[in-house]
Amino acid sequence: MDVPPPTAAAANAGGDVVKDEFRTADGEVKYGRDAEELIRPERNTLLVSFSDLERFNQELATTIQEEYYRYTCIY
């Protein structure tokens, strides 16, 4: 799967998806606070539930399952 480089427009659209799609049982935005933290230069990772990822983009979830070794770092 080829993943295009991120753009500002894509990042903004992604933020809207987070606000619209992923909510807790009581209606709060599930990843909102953590996503807002990505503005800080020392933050560059957003942890999400794999089940949320599967519901959002099944193709991406399958690619991660099949090719996870390509995306892991060994220290």
Side-chain angles (χ1 to χ4, degrees):
M1 172 181 205
D2 292 327
V3 179
T7 63
N12 288 337
D16 291 340
V17 168
V18 168
K19 291 178 200 170
D20 296 337
E21 296 285 326
F22 304 109
R23 296 190 177 271
T24 62
D26 59 347
E28 290 186 39
V29 176
K30 192 169 188 180
Y31 302 110
R33 186 168 293 162
D34 290 335
E36 288 172 359
E37 288 289 316
L38 294 175
I39 288 175
R40 296 178 26 214
E42 64 273 10
R43 290 290 312 268
N44 60 11
T45 303
L46 178 66
L47 299 177
V48 298
S49 161
F50 194 76
S51 60
D52 286 343
L53 176 64
E54 287 178 308
R55 282 195 311 256
F56 177 69
N57 187 328
Q58 184 62 52
E59 182 181 358
L60 177 58
T62 300
T63 299
I64 291 171
Q65 282 181 320
E66 292 174 352
E67 301 187 33
Y68 70 91
Y69 55 88
R70 292 179 60 194
Y71 303 102
T72 57
C73 296
I74 300 173
Y75 296 98

